[in-house]
Amino acid sequence: MTQSPKTKSPSPNSILVWIVPLLALLVGAYMIFKELRNEGPRVTVAFQDGAGLEAGKTKVQHKGLTVGTVDSVALSKDLSEVEAVITLNRSAKGLARDGSDFWILRPQIGLEGVTGLGTILSGPSIQVAPGIGPFKKRFTGLDRAPLQGSQLGYHYTLRVDQLGSLNPGAPVLYKQFKVGEVVETKLAPDATAILITILINSPYDKLVRTNSVFWNASGIDMKVGLLGAKIQTDSLQSVLTGGIMFATPEDLEDGELAPENTEFPLQKEADSDWHEWKPIIQLEQEGNAPSLP
């Protein structure tokens, strides 16, 4: 009687040869699945200047949290812009909407002091503010953070011979209280002056009358007399970033509410009397009492 040949059982080493790659494949597949599950939409943002942006390193942030990463940075086909391709987190897919604003945060001195200080070591980051429109895949990045309160207010124009240190974002102050900001600066069509567009946020537009006066508060006024030197500045912020102040006379009957886009001359400095003006202007209605026009 013949005996059937004995089958050899696989050795432990041969089993490990198959198990280890299989486990590695499963772990890799799980990691890929996890990444794809957490990955949101990819969007392209075009910037005029991409200095400091690095693929795989530059973070996209909203409200202080990282919501995406820059995948690639390259020049546009016409070489006029820098295009950053961004992958947003799945939880941040709502940022890929029309009306969202993207800008690069770098260290700078602004109205609120020094901003972007943390980017000195980590490099620039891309900040985003959400829009409410339909989903979108391509955006045009802003040169700076969007101006605060720019959605509600009235625009006026100031004419001046020299621009000085006034730039978009510089504050417009009333009694050293910020009520608006510079939106745009440009050369007049006839090249005889600089035109400065300012935005006064509502309800502070009620402070602007046809007889209001505006002056440049961007410098330090030093006067030397027998009793010594007197140094005066309207605002520390205005010294650092440039600024404009205005005042309205107390006799409101001499000046009507200034229509939007009214043009005013921008004075080089303030008269001492302007600081003393204290017109009573009701900014908001109280109960049933009507506000002044």
Side-chain angles (χ1 to χ4, degrees):
M1 186 174 180
T2 60
Q3 294 181 350
S4 59
K6 295 183 179 180
T7 58
K8 293 182 179 181
S9 59
S11 66
N13 291 335
S14 63
I15 294 176
L16 288 176
V17 169
W18 291 100
I19 290 180
V20 172
L22 182 60
L23 287 177
L25 181 63
L26 290 175
V27 171
Y30 172 75
M31 296 299 293
I32 294 174
F33 171 76
K34 186 177 179 180
E35 286 295 323
L36 292 176
R37 186 178 180 184
N38 293 331
E39 190 175 278
R42 299 184 75 191
V43 300
T44 300
V45 184
F47 294 101
Q48 291 297 319
D49 182 4
L53 298 183
E54 296 185 45
K57 181 179 179 180
T58 302
K59 303 299 183 183
V60 182
Q61 296 182 329
H62 173 57
K63 293 185 177 295
L65 298 179
T66 298
V67 295
T69 306
V70 173
D71 292 334
S72 66
V73 182
L75 289 172
S76 60
K77 292 182 179 180
D78 61 1
L79 307 179
S80 63
E81 297 176 317
V82 175
E83 295 181 339
V85 178
I86 296 170
T87 297
L88 296 172
N89 297 344
R90 183 181 180 90
S91 61
K93 64 180 181 179
L95 296 173
R97 290 182 176 274
D98 190 18
S100 293
D101 290 325
F102 292 82
W103 69 96
I104 301 174
L105 178 63
R106 298 184 176 97
Q108 62 180 357
I109 298 177
L111 302 179
E112 290 77 23
V114 180
T115 59
L117 192 60
T119 62
I120 293 178
L121 298 178
S122 63
S125 64
I126 295 179
Q127 303 294 309
V128 55
I132 58 175
F135 282 98
K136 186 178 178 181
K137 290 187 176 181
R138 184 176 179 84
F139 300 85
T140 299
L142 304 178
D143 294 333
R144 63 186 303 279
L147 299 177
Q148 298 179 0
S150 59
Q151 300 300 320
L152 185 61
Y154 293 87
H155 294 86
Y156 306 94
T157 301
L158 306 179
R159 178 180 285 265
V160 65
D161 292 334
Q162 301 289 333
L163 180 61
S165 60
L166 295 173
N167 290 296
V172 178
L173 309 171
Y174 184 83
K175 296 187 180 299
Q176 296 191 353
F177 179 81
K178 183 183 175 184
V179 296
E181 56 212 351
V182 174
V183 176
E184 181 186 30
T185 60
K186 64 181 181 180
L187 193 64
D190 59 3
T192 60
I194 302 295
L195 300 181
I196 303 172
T197 302
I198 62 171
L199 172 74
I200 303 297
N201 299 126
S202 181
Y204 305 119
D205 57 282
K206 295 183 175 68
L207 300 170
V208 184
R209 306 285 166 144
T210 54
N211 59 346
S212 294
V213 291
F214 292 79
W215 66 91
N216 192 330
S218 302
I220 298 176
D221 183 18
M222 178 179 291
K223 296 180 180 179
V224 179
L226 297 177
L227 299 179
K230 180 181 179 181
I231 300 176
Q232 178 179 348
T233 179
D234 289 301
S235 168
L236 179 59
Q237 291 181 346
S238 66
V239 173
L240 295 175
T241 65
I244 294 169
M245 288 193 72
F246 74 97
T248 297
E250 296 178 357
D251 190 356
L252 299 178
E253 295 182 358
D254 291 340
E256 299 178 349
L257 191 64
E260 188 170 22
N261 298 321
T262 299
E263 184 176 298
F264 298 89
L266 181 64
Q267 308 296 334
K268 293 182 179 179
E269 58 183 21
D271 288 345
S272 57
D273 295 342
W274 298 350
H275 292 284
E276 304 301 324
W277 290 347
K278 297 180 181 179
I280 300 176
I281 300 176
Q282 189 67 43
L283 298 179
E284 298 178 359
Q285 292 184 349
E286 296 181 358
N288 296 324
S291 61
L292 293 176

PDB file of all heavy atoms in Angstrom, residues 191-214:
ATOM      1  N   ALA A 191      -3.850 115.902 -13.998  1.00  0.00           N
ATOM      2  CA  ALA A 191      -2.525 115.786 -13.376  1.00  0.00           C
ATOM      3  C   ALA A 191      -2.147 116.991 -12.521  1.00  0.00           C
ATOM      4  O   ALA A 191      -0.968 117.200 -12.225  1.00  0.00           O
ATOM      5  CB  ALA A 191      -1.451 115.554 -14.439  1.00  0.00           C
ATOM      6  N   THR A 192      -3.140 117.755 -12.059  1.00  0.00           N
ATOM      7  CA  THR A 192      -2.845 118.939 -11.245  1.00  0.00           C
ATOM      8  C   THR A 192      -2.914 118.651  -9.752  1.00  0.00           C
ATOM      9  O   THR A 192      -2.500 119.494  -8.952  1.00  0.00           O
ATOM     10  CB  THR A 192      -3.835 120.062 -11.572  1.00  0.00           C
ATOM     11  OG1 THR A 192      -5.176 119.616 -11.300  1.00  0.00           O
ATOM     12  CG2 THR A 192      -3.725 120.472 -13.040  1.00  0.00           C
ATOM     13  N   ALA A 193      -3.432 117.508  -9.344  1.00  0.00           N
ATOM     14  CA  ALA A 193      -3.607 117.220  -7.916  1.00  0.00           C
ATOM     15  C   ALA A 193      -3.736 115.717  -7.717  1.00  0.00           C
ATOM     16  O   ALA A 193      -3.818 114.939  -8.678  1.00  0.00           O
ATOM     17  CB  ALA A 193      -4.842 117.945  -7.375  1.00  0.00           C
ATOM     18  N   ILE A 194      -3.754 115.330  -6.455  1.00  0.00           N
ATOM     19  CA  ILE A 194      -4.011 113.946  -6.071  1.00  0.00           C
ATOM     20  C   ILE A 194      -5.438 113.864  -5.548  1.00  0.00           C
ATOM     21  O   ILE A 194      -5.858 114.683  -4.720  1.00  0.00           O
ATOM     22  CB  ILE A 194      -3.029 113.467  -4.989  1.00  0.00           C
ATOM     23  CG1 ILE A 194      -1.587 113.596  -5.487  1.00  0.00           C
ATOM     24  CG2 ILE A 194      -3.336 112.035  -4.573  1.00  0.00           C
ATOM     25  CD1 ILE A 194      -1.251 112.700  -6.647  1.00  0.00           C
ATOM     26  N   LEU A 195      -6.191 112.875  -6.023  1.00  0.00           N
ATOM     27  CA  LEU A 195      -7.557 112.652  -5.561  1.00  0.00           C
ATOM     28  C   LEU A 195      -7.567 111.455  -4.616  1.00  0.00           C
ATOM     29  O   LEU A 195      -7.090 110.371  -4.958  1.00  0.00           O
ATOM     30  CB  LEU A 195      -8.505 112.405  -6.736  1.00  0.00           C
ATOM     31  CG  LEU A 195      -8.607 113.537  -7.762  1.00  0.00           C
ATOM     32  CD1 LEU A 195      -9.597 113.160  -8.857  1.00  0.00           C
ATOM     33  CD2 LEU A 195      -9.002 114.848  -7.090  1.00  0.00           C
ATOM     34  N   ILE A 196      -8.088 111.679  -3.426  1.00  0.00           N
ATOM     35  CA  ILE A 196      -8.144 110.640  -2.391  1.00  0.00           C
ATOM     36  C   ILE A 196      -9.606 110.284  -2.142  1.00  0.00           C
ATOM     37  O   ILE A 196     -10.399 111.146  -1.749  1.00  0.00           O
ATOM     38  CB  ILE A 196      -7.491 111.121  -1.092  1.00  0.00           C
ATOM     39  CG1 ILE A 196      -6.037 111.539  -1.349  1.00  0.00           C
ATOM     40  CG2 ILE A 196      -7.563 110.044  -0.016  1.00  0.00           C
ATOM     41  CD1 ILE A 196      -5.383 112.211  -0.163  1.00  0.00           C
ATOM     42  N   THR A 197      -9.954 109.046  -2.374  1.00  0.00           N
ATOM     43  CA  THR A 197     -11.313 108.578  -2.096  1.00  0.00           C
ATOM     44  C   THR A 197     -11.355 108.006  -0.692  1.00  0.00           C
ATOM     45  O   THR A 197     -10.561 107.123  -0.354  1.00  0.00           O
ATOM     46  CB  THR A 197     -11.751 107.505  -3.102  1.00  0.00           C
ATOM     47  OG1 THR A 197     -11.677 108.041  -4.421  1.00  0.00           O
ATOM     48  CG2 THR A 197     -13.180 107.063  -2.828  1.00  0.00           C
ATOM     49  N   ILE A 198     -12.269 108.508   0.123  1.00  0.00           N
ATOM     50  CA  ILE A 198     -12.413 108.012   1.490  1.00  0.00           C
ATOM     51  C   ILE A 198     -13.800 107.398   1.659  1.00  0.00           C
ATOM     52  O   ILE A 198     -14.752 107.755   0.950  1.00  0.00           O
ATOM     53  CB  ILE A 198     -12.198 109.130   2.534  1.00  0.00           C
ATOM     54  CG1 ILE A 198     -13.253 110.230   2.376  1.00  0.00           C
ATOM     55  CG2 ILE A 198     -10.791 109.696   2.427  1.00  0.00           C
ATOM     56  CD1 ILE A 198     -13.239 111.264   3.490  1.00  0.00           C
ATOM     57  N   LEU A 199     -13.894 106.480   2.582  1.00  0.00           N
ATOM     58  CA  LEU A 199     -15.173 105.865   2.933  1.00  0.00           C
ATOM     59  C   LEU A 199     -15.477 106.210   4.383  1.00  0.00           C
ATOM     60  O   LEU A 199     -14.666 105.938   5.271  1.00  0.00           O
ATOM     61  CB  LEU A 199     -15.111 104.343   2.775  1.00  0.00           C
ATOM     62  CG  LEU A 199     -16.316 103.578   3.292  1.00  0.00           C
ATOM     63  CD1 LEU A 199     -17.505 103.733   2.356  1.00  0.00           C
ATOM     64  CD2 LEU A 199     -15.995 102.096   3.478  1.00  0.00           C
ATOM     65  N   ILE A 200     -16.630 106.830   4.617  1.00  0.00           N
ATOM     66  CA  ILE A 200     -17.095 107.106   5.974  1.00  0.00           C
ATOM     67  C   ILE A 200     -18.195 106.104   6.288  1.00  0.00           C
ATOM     68  O   ILE A 200     -19.221 106.051   5.610  1.00  0.00           O
ATOM     69  CB  ILE A 200     -17.641 108.540   6.107  1.00  0.00           C
ATOM     70  CG1 ILE A 200     -16.568 109.549   5.703  1.00  0.00           C
ATOM     71  CG2 ILE A 200     -18.091 108.802   7.544  1.00  0.00           C
ATOM     72  CD1 ILE A 200     -15.336 109.546   6.566  1.00  0.00           C
ATOM     73  N   ASN A 201     -17.955 105.279   7.297  1.00  0.00           N
ATOM     74  CA  ASN A 201     -18.914 104.233   7.640  1.00  0.00           C
ATOM     75  C   ASN A 201     -20.189 104.816   8.228  1.00  0.00           C
ATOM     76  O   ASN A 201     -20.160 105.785   8.988  1.00  0.00           O
ATOM     77  CB  ASN A 201     -18.292 103.244   8.632  1.00  0.00           C
ATOM     78  CG  ASN A 201     -17.073 102.542   8.063  1.00  0.00           C
ATOM     79  OD1 ASN A 201     -16.005 102.555   8.656  1.00  0.00           O
ATOM     80  ND2 ASN A 201     -17.216 101.928   6.900  1.00  0.00           N
ATOM     81  N   SER A 202     -21.300 104.226   7.868  1.00  0.00           N
ATOM     82  CA  SER A 202     -22.589 104.614   8.442  1.00  0.00           C
ATOM     83  C   SER A 202     -22.623 104.188   9.913  1.00  0.00           C
ATOM     84  O   SER A 202     -22.121 103.121  10.263  1.00  0.00           O
ATOM     85  CB  SER A 202     -23.716 103.933   7.660  1.00  0.00           C
ATOM     86  OG  SER A 202     -24.959 104.288   8.166  1.00  0.00           O
ATOM     87  N   PRO A 203     -23.163 105.002  10.830  1.00  0.00           N
ATOM     88  CA  PRO A 203     -23.925 106.236  10.612  1.00  0.00           C
ATOM     89  C   PRO A 203     -23.083 107.509  10.674  1.00  0.00           C
ATOM     90  O   PRO A 203     -23.625 108.603  10.750  1.00  0.00           O
ATOM     91  CB  PRO A 203     -24.909 106.200  11.774  1.00  0.00           C
ATOM     92  CG  PRO A 203     -24.105 105.617  12.899  1.00  0.00           C
ATOM     93  CD  PRO A 203     -23.214 104.575  12.255  1.00  0.00           C
ATOM     94  N   TYR A 204     -21.745 107.376  10.655  1.00  0.00           N
ATOM     95  CA  TYR A 204     -20.887 108.552  10.843  1.00  0.00           C
ATOM     96  C   TYR A 204     -20.898 109.474   9.625  1.00  0.00           C
ATOM     97  O   TYR A 204     -20.333 110.572   9.683  1.00  0.00           O
ATOM     98  CB  TYR A 204     -19.467 108.106  11.174  1.00  0.00           C
ATOM     99  CG  TYR A 204     -19.407 107.181  12.368  1.00  0.00           C
ATOM    100  CD1 TYR A 204     -18.921 105.883  12.249  1.00  0.00           C
ATOM    101  CD2 TYR A 204     -19.867 107.598  13.617  1.00  0.00           C
ATOM    102  CE1 TYR A 204     -18.882 105.026  13.339  1.00  0.00           C
ATOM    103  CE2 TYR A 204     -19.833 106.749  14.710  1.00  0.00           C
ATOM    104  CZ  TYR A 204     -19.345 105.466  14.555  1.00  0.00           C
ATOM    105  OH  TYR A 204     -19.315 104.616  15.638  1.00  0.00           O
ATOM    106  N   ASP A 205     -21.511 109.024   8.524  1.00  0.00           N
ATOM    107  CA  ASP A 205     -21.643 109.904   7.370  1.00  0.00           C
ATOM    108  C   ASP A 205     -22.473 111.134   7.705  1.00  0.00           C
ATOM    109  O   ASP A 205     -22.374 112.156   7.029  1.00  0.00           O
ATOM    110  CB  ASP A 205     -22.281 109.148   6.206  1.00  0.00           C
ATOM    111  CG  ASP A 205     -23.628 108.552   6.578  1.00  0.00           C
ATOM    112  OD1 ASP A 205     -23.645 107.506   7.241  1.00  0.00           O
ATOM    113  OD2 ASP A 205     -24.653 109.145   6.213  1.00  0.00           O
ATOM    114  N   LYS A 206     -23.298 111.066   8.762  1.00  0.00           N
ATOM    115  CA  LYS A 206     -24.092 112.232   9.182  1.00  0.00           C
ATOM    116  C   LYS A 206     -23.210 113.364   9.705  1.00  0.00           C
ATOM    117  O   LYS A 206     -23.652 114.507   9.817  1.00  0.00           O
ATOM    118  CB  LYS A 206     -25.102 111.822  10.248  1.00  0.00           C
ATOM    119  CG  LYS A 206     -26.178 110.846   9.770  1.00  0.00           C
ATOM    120  CD  LYS A 206     -27.169 110.552  10.881  1.00  0.00           C
ATOM    121  CE  LYS A 206     -28.311 109.672  10.396  1.00  0.00           C
ATOM    122  NZ  LYS A 206     -27.867 108.306  10.056  1.00  0.00           N
ATOM    123  N   LEU A 207     -21.950 113.036  10.028  1.00  0.00           N
ATOM    124  CA  LEU A 207     -21.032 114.070  10.508  1.00  0.00           C
ATOM    125  C   LEU A 207     -20.475 114.921   9.368  1.00  0.00           C
ATOM    126  O   LEU A 207     -19.946 116.005   9.609  1.00  0.00           O
ATOM    127  CB  LEU A 207     -19.866 113.411  11.256  1.00  0.00           C
ATOM    128  CG  LEU A 207     -20.221 112.575  12.487  1.00  0.00           C
ATOM    129  CD1 LEU A 207     -18.990 111.799  12.951  1.00  0.00           C
ATOM    130  CD2 LEU A 207     -20.763 113.440  13.606  1.00  0.00           C
ATOM    131  N   VAL A 208     -20.569 114.411   8.161  1.00  0.00           N
ATOM    132  CA  VAL A 208     -19.972 115.096   7.011  1.00  0.00           C
ATOM    133  C   VAL A 208     -20.981 116.073   6.417  1.00  0.00           C
ATOM    134  O   VAL A 208     -22.001 115.665   5.849  1.00  0.00           O
ATOM    135  CB  VAL A 208     -19.516 114.088   5.944  1.00  0.00           C
ATOM    136  CG1 VAL A 208     -18.812 114.824   4.798  1.00  0.00           C
ATOM    137  CG2 VAL A 208     -18.591 113.037   6.547  1.00  0.00           C
ATOM    138  N   ARG A 209     -20.705 117.375   6.559  1.00  0.00           N
ATOM    139  CA  ARG A 209     -21.558 118.435   6.011  1.00  0.00           C
ATOM    140  C   ARG A 209     -20.815 119.160   4.898  1.00  0.00           C
ATOM    141  O   ARG A 209     -19.594 119.005   4.743  1.00  0.00           O
ATOM    142  CB  ARG A 209     -21.937 119.423   7.130  1.00  0.00           C
ATOM    143  CG  ARG A 209     -22.561 118.752   8.356  1.00  0.00           C
ATOM    144  CD  ARG A 209     -23.985 118.338   8.079  1.00  0.00           C
ATOM    145  NE  ARG A 209     -24.508 117.424   9.081  1.00  0.00           N
ATOM    146  CZ  ARG A 209     -25.776 117.434   9.509  1.00  0.00           C
ATOM    147  NH1 ARG A 209     -26.633 118.316   9.027  1.00  0.00           N
ATOM    148  NH2 ARG A 209     -26.182 116.545  10.397  1.00  0.00           N
ATOM    149  N   THR A 210     -21.536 119.925   4.153  1.00  0.00           N
ATOM    150  CA  THR A 210     -20.905 120.640   3.037  1.00  0.00           C
ATOM    151  C   THR A 210     -19.865 121.646   3.507  1.00  0.00           C
ATOM    152  O   THR A 210     -18.998 122.041   2.726  1.00  0.00           O
ATOM    153  CB  THR A 210     -21.972 121.352   2.203  1.00  0.00           C
ATOM    154  OG1 THR A 210     -22.763 122.195   3.059  1.00  0.00           O
ATOM    155  CG2 THR A 210     -22.884 120.346   1.511  1.00  0.00           C
ATOM    156  N   ASN A 211     -19.925 122.057   4.770  1.00  0.00           N
ATOM    157  CA  ASN A 211     -18.932 122.997   5.299  1.00  0.00           C
ATOM    158  C   ASN A 211     -17.923 122.311   6.230  1.00  0.00           C
ATOM    159  O   ASN A 211     -17.205 122.984   6.976  1.00  0.00           O
ATOM    160  CB  ASN A 211     -19.613 124.151   6.025  1.00  0.00           C
ATOM    161  CG  ASN A 211     -20.488 123.676   7.190  1.00  0.00           C
ATOM    162  OD1 ASN A 211     -20.789 122.483   7.302  1.00  0.00           O
ATOM    163  ND2 ASN A 211     -20.910 124.605   8.044  1.00  0.00           N
ATOM    164  N   SER A 212     -17.879 120.998   6.219  1.00  0.00           N
ATOM    165  CA  SER A 212     -16.872 120.271   7.003  1.00  0.00           C
ATOM    166  C   SER A 212     -15.485 120.548   6.431  1.00  0.00           C
ATOM    167  O   SER A 212     -15.327 120.857   5.244  1.00  0.00           O
ATOM    168  CB  SER A 212     -17.151 118.769   6.978  1.00  0.00           C
ATOM    169  OG  SER A 212     -18.358 118.454   7.640  1.00  0.00           O
ATOM    170  N   VAL A 213     -14.480 120.437   7.280  1.00  0.00           N
ATOM    171  CA  VAL A 213     -13.098 120.649   6.855  1.00  0.00           C
ATOM    172  C   VAL A 213     -12.280 119.392   7.136  1.00  0.00           C
ATOM    173  O   VAL A 213     -12.439 118.757   8.179  1.00  0.00           O
ATOM    174  CB  VAL A 213     -12.464 121.868   7.554  1.00  0.00           C
ATOM    175  CG1 VAL A 213     -13.096 123.153   7.055  1.00  0.00           C
ATOM    176  CG2 VAL A 213     -12.583 121.764   9.067  1.00  0.00           C
ATOM    177  N   PHE A 214     -11.408 119.062   6.207  1.00  0.00           N
ATOM    178  CA  PHE A 214     -10.548 117.887   6.327  1.00  0.00           C
ATOM    179  C   PHE A 214      -9.094 118.342   6.301  1.00  0.00           C
ATOM    180  O   PHE A 214      -8.732 119.268   5.572  1.00  0.00           O
ATOM    181  CB  PHE A 214     -10.790 116.925   5.158  1.00  0.00           C
ATOM    182  CG  PHE A 214     -12.143 116.261   5.167  1.00  0.00           C
ATOM    183  CD1 PHE A 214     -13.272 116.940   4.725  1.00  0.00           C
ATOM    184  CD2 PHE A 214     -12.282 114.956   5.609  1.00  0.00           C
ATOM    185  CE1 PHE A 214     -14.511 116.330   4.720  1.00  0.00           C
ATOM    186  CE2 PHE A 214     -13.526 114.337   5.608  1.00  0.00           C
ATOM    187  CZ  PHE A 214     -14.647 115.033   5.163  1.00  0.00           C
TER     188      PHE A 214
END
